[in-house]
Amino acid sequence: MSKHILVLARRDVREAIRVAAGLTIRNNTVDFVFMKDAPLAINGKVENHEMFELAEISPQSLIPDIPGTTPCQNLGALIAKADRVVSF
């Protein structure tokens, strides 16, 4: 049975991205929120951004100006909607 999972990137952003993409393999729905600055690649995108694209995850951010993200407007609603919340 698929779950709705919220992944919070609080400390280890790279690991959070890898786990979020992996969670979609089992047909889970994943929301992703950056809670700290993301490491950027030479091309100006978030490192491993292609994992979001392949997993069809639209990352959100509490930090302004992270490329390829939308501002997280209501973290409380995302938490309430999730079956599980994981923090990295």
Side-chain angles (χ1 to χ4, degrees):
M1 185 165 122
S2 68
K3 302 277 186 198
H4 191 111
I5 302 169
L6 172 61
V7 176
L8 302 175
R10 295 180 50 227
R11 293 185 185 102
D12 191 344
V13 173
R14 289 177 181 95
E15 183 66 13
I17 293 170
R18 285 190 290 272
V19 169
L23 288 169
T24 63
I25 292 172
R26 302 198 79 175
N27 292 325
N28 293 306
T29 303
V30 176
D31 286 320
F32 187 97
V33 178
F34 286 99
M35 299 182 80
K36 67 177 275 182
D37 283 326
L40 299 181
I42 295 172
N43 63 6
K45 290 184 176 184
V46 172
E47 283 184 11
N48 300 323
H49 189 269
E50 66 279 357
M51 289 182 162
F52 289 130
E53 293 170 348
L54 291 171
E56 298 179 356
I57 297 173
S58 299
Q60 298 180 48
S61 179
L62 294 175
I63 308 300
D65 302 324
I66 294 180
T69 66
T70 57
C72 182
Q73 300 294 325
N74 193 342
L75 182 58
L78 289 175
I79 292 170
K81 180 172 77 169
D83 294 312
R84 300 278 187 270
V85 178
V86 293
S87 174
F88 291 89

